Amino acid sequence: MKKTACAACPLRKFEIFSAFTEEEVEFTQSFKSGELQVDPGTTLMLEGMPSPQIYTVLDGQGVRYKTMEDGSRQVINFALPGDLIGLHAAVMGEMSHSVESTSAMRLCVFNRCDLWRLFERWPARAYDLTWLSAVEEHFLGETVAVIGRRSARERVAWGLLRVYSRLKAVGQEKDNTVPMPWRQQDLADALGLSLVHTNKTLQRLRGEGLADWTEGRLTIRDPAALAGVGHFEIDAPVRRPLI
Amino acid sequence: MKKTACAACPLRKFEIFSAFTEEEVEFTQSFKSGELQVDPGTTLMLEGMPSPQIYTVLDGQGVRYKTMEDGSRQVINFALPGDLIGLHAAVMGEMSHSVESTSAMRLCVFNRCDLWRLFERWPARAYDLTWLSAVEEHFLGETVAVIGRRSARERVAWGLLRVYSRLKAVGQEKDNTVPMPWRQQDLADALGLSLVHTNKTLQRLRGEGLADWTEGRLTIRDPAALAGVGHFEIDAPVRRPLI
DNA sequence: CGTCCGCTTGAATAGTTTCAATTGAAGTGG
DNA sequence: CCACTTCAATTGAAACTATTCAAGCGGACG
């Protein structure tokens, strides 16, 4: 992402994400209310429900999804380290989707009530929050474009690539491999595809040596080659934990 | 949307969107830098570009879209009165999509640099901004679910209904009719459908008396009946102009 | 040992896209 | 004032992509 700053105003500072000052650290310590450890398969948030708490993901992975009347599911996106969970409920009063852990997760817990305190006392952190929300919006826009206009092959390539590059950005990559603890059904639900077709597409990509997702681990030897499937950019803006 | 408030903290105030105090009005006047009037077909923001300005839509309609390498287009959503344009560029440094007016539009203009001033001086307005961003995220999530999991008929019904209810919420509805100054291609691009199929689906809905979109005007006699096509809710949270 | 769950496979079906061509309205220039 | 162009909406038919249905396989677990 190119950086374009307004030289005269402090906005520039926040594009670079300055380190925390001592004073800030002290305050944010008081803001953080605890840590939470959950098992795989735990429902963290439920669509339509309020939530007294907000989490940031410190470790582990999950899915955000909406359930349709007919029982089918649409995965909105994946919850990875650095993500914020529950901002919707905090800001709008209720969650617009459910969130479930798919691996063991470690979460940083905030009280919703403290959110206002943050806005009042730490405009810089409030700004970070808005930034995070804007980045999320950016990704969702991309998702809409991919699901709306891409072929199955391109969608799968994009989905794998996005998971890979986001996890790589938070240091989870090793030997071109990242942990990807989901079922093929989860990916299918994320891409708006059927399970069967997703399976066949994954196999084709695997056969071509572009991406190998087996046993909960995704290996991409040549990300650029996989990106070539749909001329994708490999530029996942990193989401950084709020505190 | 159900309201759930945290009784002990001032957050509740912002769920209801309190009226502006005199002091606030005075400040926001200084924040607002002008008004802009544009013709139909004007490109307001370009994907990948920074923008020194942020707009809120006071009047008129536009589309936000992404262009793919092959020249096809995905409309991310529509820009209606109350919407914020350019927050992405302001917060992230560049736009993630383009924005174009499809009717004459009147816009309220802010300088990007002032954004920081707002966060620092008016936490309540900064909070509004985050709220707006969260609402946008909410809608995009819904869009993902619709495009990913719904049939063409349901998508079209949903698209029409959403435009209708959002415009109704801002007082643009009269005799069950709202202005909808787009081409069928725009709707097709928004729903991830081909033009031909969108056309045929629109005709079917028209024939069934569920929705009539002709000559830039959309008439829905019985919104509930149209919503029945896909068991949709008719609950568009209203976006309110920031200032 | 039997059951459950996720992955895999093949075949039939259906929904949607693509291609190709027509119409009508609106705008342009001679 | 009339060809000529352009653009959006419309229509029919063919081609294709992705879904659905149905069944089998292997590992994990009680």
Side-chain angles (χ1 to χ4, degrees), chain A residues 38-82:
Chain A
V38 300
D39 289 326
T42 308
T43 297
L44 299 168
M45 302 266 166
L46 210 50
E47 191 176 347
M49 291 287 148
S51 169
Q53 266 139 17
I54 306 172
Y55 306 122
T56 45
V57 181
L58 297 175
D59 213 43
Q61 287 145 60
V63 288
R64 306 169 193 260
Y65 61 91
K66 278 170 169 285
T67 313
M68 329 288 289
E69 313 75 30
D70 67 355
S72 72
R73 201 179 60 146
Q74 175 68 41
V75 169
I76 304 301
N77 59 27
F78 299 109
L80 302 183

Side-chain angles (χ1 to χ4, degrees), chain B residues 182-225:
Chain B
W182 305 309
R183 296 165 306 162
Q184 294 187 353
Q185 182 73 63
D186 295 319
L187 184 63
D189 287 344
L191 301 174
L193 294 171
S194 71
L195 170 62
V196 172
H197 202 51
T198 303
N199 176 293
K200 287 171 181 168
T201 308
L202 280 168
Q203 282 179 68
R204 192 138 46 96
L205 291 177
R206 195 182 303 149
E208 295 170 28
L210 289 171
D212 189 346
W213 175 31
T214 37
E215 292 156 27
R217 297 166 56 76
L218 167 66
T219 303
I220 301 179
R221 299 249 167 264
D222 183 357

Side-chain angles (χ1 to χ4, degrees), chain A residues 41-174:
Chain A
T42 308
T43 297
L44 299 168
M45 302 266 166
L46 210 50
E47 191 176 347
M49 291 287 148
S51 169
Q53 266 139 17
I54 306 172
Y55 306 122
T56 45
V57 181
L58 297 175
D59 213 43
Q61 287 145 60
V63 288
R64 306 169 193 260
Y65 61 91
K66 278 170 169 285
T67 313
M68 329 288 289
E69 313 75 30
D70 67 355
S72 72
R73 201 179 60 146
Q74 175 68 41
V75 169
I76 304 301
N77 59 27
F78 299 109
L80 302 183
D83 277 13
L84 205 55
I85 296 178
L87 183 63
H88 281 185
V91 172
M92 307 194 319
E94 66 181 56
M95 285 305 285
S96 60
H97 55 254
S98 303
V99 185
E100 192 180 313
S101 64
T102 52
S103 73
M105 288 180 96
R106 200 161 51 90
L107 303 154
C108 179
V109 184
F110 309 113
N111 284 317
R112 187 195 169 201
C113 295
D114 292 332
L115 192 62
W116 170 246
R117 200 153 57 90
L118 180 133
F119 267 86
E120 217 172 25
R121 296 257 315 265
W122 285 108
R125 293 305 140 218
Y127 189 91
D128 288 355
L129 210 59
T130 307
W131 179 85
L132 218 52
S133 194
V135 170
E136 210 56 50
E137 219 185 300
H138 163 83
F139 276 114
L140 280 178
E142 196 182 312
T143 304
V144 167
V146 168
I147 296 183
R149 284 277 167 255
R150 301 282 194 168
S151 70
R153 184 179 162 83
E154 291 173 318
R155 291 193 221 183
V156 171
W158 172 81
L160 295 179
L161 204 51
R162 193 168 71 143
V163 168
Y164 180 83
S165 58
R166 283 194 54 198
L167 282 172
K168 180 170 183 174
V170 291
Q172 299 257 25
E173 176 262 359
K174 209 189 130 191

Side-chain angles (χ1 to χ4, degrees), chain B residues 14-210:
Chain B
F14 302 100
E15 285 172 348
I16 304 165
F17 265 97
S18 59
F20 292 94
T21 65
E22 267 183 49
E23 195 188 8
E24 275 181 310
V25 171
E26 190 183 328
F27 173 78
T28 51
Q29 288 304 336
S30 78
F31 183 57
K32 177 172 176 172
S33 88
E35 259 184 49
L36 180 65
Q37 183 95 32
V38 299
D39 289 327
T42 308
T43 298
L44 298 169
M45 301 265 164
L46 210 52
E47 191 175 347
M49 292 287 147
S51 169
Q53 265 138 17
I54 306 172
Y55 307 122
T56 45
V57 181
L58 297 175
D59 214 42
Q61 286 144 59
V63 288
R64 307 170 194 260
Y65 62 92
K66 277 170 168 285
T67 313
M68 329 288 288
E69 311 75 32
D70 67 355
S72 73
R73 202 179 57 147
Q74 174 69 42
V75 170
I76 304 300
N77 61 25
F78 299 108
L80 302 183
D83 276 14
L84 205 54
I85 296 178
L87 183 63
H88 280 186
V91 172
M92 304 195 318
E94 66 180 56
M95 285 303 287
S96 60
H97 54 255
S98 304
V99 186
E100 190 181 315
S101 64
T102 51
S103 73
M105 288 180 95
R106 199 160 52 88
L107 303 154
C108 180
V109 185
F110 309 113
N111 285 317
R112 188 197 167 199
C113 294
D114 291 332
L115 192 64
W116 172 245
R117 200 152 57 92
L118 181 133
F119 268 86
E120 215 171 25
R121 297 256 316 263
W122 285 108
R125 293 305 140 218
Y127 189 92
D128 288 356
L129 211 59
T130 306
W131 180 85
L132 218 53
S133 192
V135 170
E136 210 56 49
E137 216 184 302
H138 164 82
F139 276 115
L140 280 179
E142 197 182 311
T143 305
V144 168
V146 168
I147 295 183
R149 282 279 167 255
R150 301 282 195 167
S151 70
R153 184 179 161 82
E154 290 174 316
R155 291 192 221 183
V156 171
W158 172 81
L160 295 178
L161 204 52
R162 194 169 70 145
V163 168
Y164 180 84
S165 58
R166 283 195 53 198
L167 283 171
K168 181 172 182 173
V170 291
Q172 299 257 27
E173 175 262 358
K174 210 188 131 191
D175 292 334
N176 293 308
T177 301
V178 293
M180 189 162 164
W182 305 309
R183 296 165 306 162
Q184 294 187 353
Q185 182 73 63
D186 295 319
L187 184 63
D189 287 344
L191 301 174
L193 294 171
S194 71
L195 170 62
V196 172
H197 202 51
T198 303
N199 176 293
K200 287 171 181 168
T201 308
L202 280 168
Q203 282 179 68
R204 192 138 46 96
L205 291 177
R206 195 182 303 149
E208 295 170 28
L210 289 171

Side-chain angles (χ1 to χ4, degrees), chain A residues 160-236:
Chain A
L160 295 179
L161 204 51
R162 193 168 71 143
V163 168
Y164 180 83
S165 58
R166 283 194 54 198
L167 282 172
K168 180 170 183 174
V170 291
Q172 299 257 25
E173 176 262 359
K174 209 189 130 191
D175 291 334
N176 294 307
T177 302
V178 295
M180 189 162 165
W182 304 310
R183 296 166 306 162
Q184 296 187 352
Q185 182 73 63
D186 295 319
L187 183 62
D189 286 345
L191 301 174
L193 293 171
S194 70
L195 170 62
V196 172
H197 202 51
T198 303
N199 176 291
K200 286 170 181 167
T201 308
L202 279 169
Q203 282 178 67
R204 193 140 42 99
L205 292 177
R206 194 181 304 149
E208 296 170 26
L210 289 171
D212 188 347
W213 175 32
T214 38
E215 291 156 28
R217 298 166 57 77
L218 167 65
T219 303
I220 301 180
R221 299 250 167 263
D222 183 357
L226 187 57
V229 167
H231 307 285
F232 299 116
E233 292 180 36
I234 322 180
D235 74 326

